[in-house]
Amino acid sequence: MRLREFPVRKAYFSLSDIKLGVSPMVAKPAVGMFVLLQAALFATGLSAPSTAQGLIRDAEIEHTIRAYATPLLRAAALVPEDVNFHLLRSPELNAFVARGQRIFLSTGLLMRSEHPGQVMGVIAHEIGHITGGHLARLEGAISDAEDQALIGSIIGIAIGVLVGNSGAAAVGSTKAQEIALQKLLNFSRIQERSADQVAVNLLDQVQVSARGLSEFFEILEGQELLDRSRQDSYVVTHPLTRDRIAFIADHVAKSRHSSWAIPLALKAEHDRMRAKLAGFLNPTSKTLRNYKPDDPSVAARYACSIAYYREANLEKALPLIDSLIAQMPEDPWFQELKGQMLFENARGAEALPFYQKAVDLRPNEPLLRVGLAHVLIELDGPGMLNKAEAHLKQALRRDRYMPIAWRLAAITYGRNGELGLSALSLAEYSQLMGHPLDAMRQAQKAMRLLTESEPAWLRAQDLFDTAERQHKKSRKN
């Protein structure tokens, strides 16, 4: 995708935005072990893990993560479609869960992983947090920790006042905060061990070795000796112990699935995912050092084609992507990438058939349909607006949380004279972007233009009410 998406609360953007030099807003997921522990660490004065830079949307990578996760989710008796995966743009190793059965994985974790088994191990562990209801319990633990820290602070201040010593107040307050934090981390360690048990059980059920999870723990173990400010977020938010490492190692030694061989197709997808992330996220010079342009492997050609494309060097980028398409003409992701290269270099008419082929190959991928709709809107030829509208409707039926899709829908409806639906689409867009005042204005406009009580009018009313509550809450805060 070409256009940028920067919601304040979700900070969506696509991999192609990296080429455009985008500086995404900081993503702060509303609830989750990472955020809750970070808040607790901040309250105690300790250095908290750095926040992620944004959320990336990419159809191919999301497809790969789904391929890893779906068997595990089914084994856990969860509905795969009900669990959402989010890709954080961050060099740190990190993964965490949030309300609404949402699992976050950092690009640093994916790029550092050597094979699918490591990522599957991490996903299985995070599923353990979901099935164990750990988020709800952690919120209670944090509330208790906050109360204890607050009480300790008040007592410390009172003592300081009574003895006329401000230092005594500071010491009392700090000690209470340290005790509260220690209790919180002890609680978290119990949850981590529980999630480990769920993880190895799930991996056994799908006949995948837990060796990958063990290898991931070995990577983390080396970080425990580092200064906290240099540790990856996962070490801070998932406290590691020798017992946990020994537990996983013992399971690997005893499990009959430890000799599991990674399917070649899955390994190939993993290599491509890492290459794609490297091509878009790493400096071009680093990508071309790690992936040689004359290396005939699929991963190397993929990474190098993206690296050259980011440098606007189509003379080198296009032959590489053409060679991949020639080798795998039915691959939708290669088709999408070539379309993207052409479209972003003002060659929309040439790009159109590649976007169309990608959608034909993967008709249920909403991001691919949004990309095709964008090209159709820009070309604006006979009948193209109606086609774009149809693609956007199908995409939004599957995934409503795509701000760029709502913005494109607003353009399409506006050009077709459907001003009420255009205003409604802008209200949806503003709501996702975290702009409640704009959402309220557009929702009001939509209600004036639409027929009262029809579904679109009722949706506009709901958006207005939600945005108004958010605006009042933000003003109060």
Side-chain angles (χ1 to χ4, degrees):
M1 287 166 57
R2 175 172 173 266
L3 281 186
R4 294 162 285 194
E5 305 180 31
F6 304 149
V8 171
R9 287 169 294 134
K10 292 197 175 182
Y12 287 114
F13 62 105
S14 64
L15 277 178
S16 61
D17 294 324
I18 307 304
K19 170 186 175 291
L20 302 175
V22 170
S23 298
M25 297 180 181
V26 172
K28 295 184 179 178
V31 179
M33 192 160 292
F34 171 79
V35 175
L36 292 173
L37 279 176
Q38 181 172 333
L41 291 168
F42 178 76
T44 58
L46 298 177
S47 61
S50 61
T51 52
Q53 296 175 359
L55 298 184
I56 291 175
R57 296 299 309 269
D58 181 81
E60 178 182 12
I61 294 175
E62 291 175 11
H63 171 78
T64 299
I65 297 301
R66 283 281 173 191
Y68 296 164
T70 296
L72 295 167
L73 292 169
R74 287 176 176 157
L78 295 173
V79 179
E81 293 75 19
D82 291 344
V83 179
N84 297 306
F85 287 87
H86 304 280
L87 183 61
L88 288 153
R89 186 194 177 188
S90 171
E92 292 188 345
L93 297 174
N94 200 13
F96 56 93
V97 296
R99 277 180 184 161
Q101 298 189 146
R102 297 157 66 198
I103 297 178
F104 292 76
L105 301 171
S106 71
T107 54
L109 184 150
L110 298 177
M111 294 168 73
R112 182 77 177 271
S113 63
E114 297 176 352
H115 59 78
Q118 294 177 347
V119 180
M120 293 181 74
V122 172
I123 292 174
H125 176 92
E126 299 306 324
I127 291 173
H129 284 306
I130 293 176
T131 59
H134 292 171
L135 277 178
R137 296 177 187 175
L138 183 60
E139 287 181 43
I142 285 179
S143 178
D144 292 343
E146 288 174 345
D147 290 344
Q148 182 171 356
L150 177 60
I151 292 170
S153 298
I154 293 171
I155 292 173
I157 293 170
I159 292 172
V161 170
L162 289 173
V163 302
N165 184 346
S166 60
V171 170
S173 175
T174 301
K175 187 64 176 177
Q177 291 174 348
E178 288 177 355
I179 293 172
L181 174 64
Q182 191 57 50
K183 286 190 174 182
L184 183 62
L185 291 179
N186 288 340
F187 177 83
S188 179
R189 290 188 183 101
I190 294 171
Q191 290 192 331
E192 293 306 310
R193 178 60 186 270
S194 172
D196 291 341
Q197 182 66 66
V198 173
V200 297
N201 290 343
L202 291 177
L203 292 167
D204 273 352
Q205 288 183 58
V206 298
Q207 300 181 12
V208 169
S209 172
R211 193 180 302 278
L213 183 58
S214 178
E215 293 167 353
F216 183 68
F217 279 1
E218 290 172 7
I219 295 172
L220 296 177
E221 186 182 17
Q223 292 202 0
E224 291 205 310
L225 298 177
L226 298 176
D227 178 80
R228 187 179 296 275
S229 63
R230 297 170 57 202
Q231 293 177 345
D232 282 312
S233 299
Y234 203 93
V235 179
V236 180
T237 59
H238 296 66
L240 198 61
T241 63
R242 289 301 313 168
D243 288 344
R244 289 183 64 204
I245 295 171
F247 169 74
I248 300 297
D250 181 65
H251 180 86
V252 171
K254 295 178 179 178
S255 174
R256 61 183 178 180
H257 302 297
S258 294
S259 59
W260 172 71
I262 300 170
L264 294 178
L266 209 60
K267 181 63 166 63
E269 286 190 23
H270 188 79
D271 291 343
R272 283 178 51 167
M273 175 177 66
R274 293 179 64 206
K276 189 171 194 176
L277 288 170
F280 275 110
L281 300 179
N282 286 342
T284 300
S285 58
K286 181 177 181 180
T287 301
L288 296 177
R289 279 199 310 271
N290 295 338
Y291 295 91
K292 304 301 181 183
D294 56 355
D295 183 340
S297 69
V298 170
R301 283 181 285 162
Y302 204 16
C304 291
S305 67
I306 295 169
Y308 286 130
Y309 146 70
R310 288 180 62 204
E311 293 290 305
N313 188 345
L314 292 191
E315 289 185 5
K316 291 186 176 180
L318 288 176
L320 287 169
I321 192 64
D322 284 341
S323 70
L324 292 170
I325 290 174
Q327 181 178 340
M328 287 177 272
E330 302 303 300
D331 187 293
W333 322 121
F334 294 155
Q335 299 284 342
E336 179 198 23
L337 180 59
K338 181 164 184 183
Q340 181 177 313
M341 289 179 179
L342 295 169
F343 185 43
E344 292 186 3
N345 285 273
R347 296 164 65 175
E350 296 176 64
L352 183 59
F354 293 99
Y355 275 104
Q356 184 64 62
K357 180 71 177 290
V359 170
D360 291 342
L361 292 168
R362 288 275 179 181
N364 294 329
E365 289 288 350
L367 288 170
L368 294 182
R369 287 192 179 273
V370 172
L372 175 57
H374 189 193
V375 178
L376 291 166
I377 291 169
E378 290 294 322
L379 292 175
D380 200 14
M384 288 187 176
L385 274 181
N386 290 334
K387 290 180 181 179
E389 181 179 325
H391 285 300
L392 290 170
K393 284 180 177 178
Q394 289 196 50
L396 288 167
R397 272 197 291 268
R398 290 185 171 274
D399 187 348
R400 297 183 61 84
Y401 300 100
M402 296 185 292
I404 180 58
W406 288 113
R407 195 162 82 179
L408 292 173
I411 294 171
T412 304
Y413 287 129
R415 290 184 185 177
N416 281 333
E418 299 176 274
L419 301 183
L421 292 176
S422 179
L424 177 60
S425 298
L426 286 175
E428 298 273 13
Y429 170 77
S430 298
Q431 180 70 6
L432 288 175
M433 293 291 286
H435 301 154
L437 278 176
D438 290 338
M440 289 167 61
R441 283 193 287 265
Q442 294 297 336
Q444 282 181 318
K445 181 179 178 180
M447 285 188 286
R448 288 197 304 269
L449 295 170
L450 295 168
T451 302
E452 187 171 347
S453 297
E454 68 173 310
W457 187 91
L458 294 172
R459 175 59 184 165
Q461 186 180 56
D462 289 342
L463 280 170
F464 178 84
D465 292 342
T466 301
E468 186 178 39
R469 286 195 299 270
Q470 290 175 348
H471 178 59
K472 289 180 178 178
K473 184 177 179 181
S474 65
R475 290 187 64 184
K476 182 179 178 181
N477 290 337

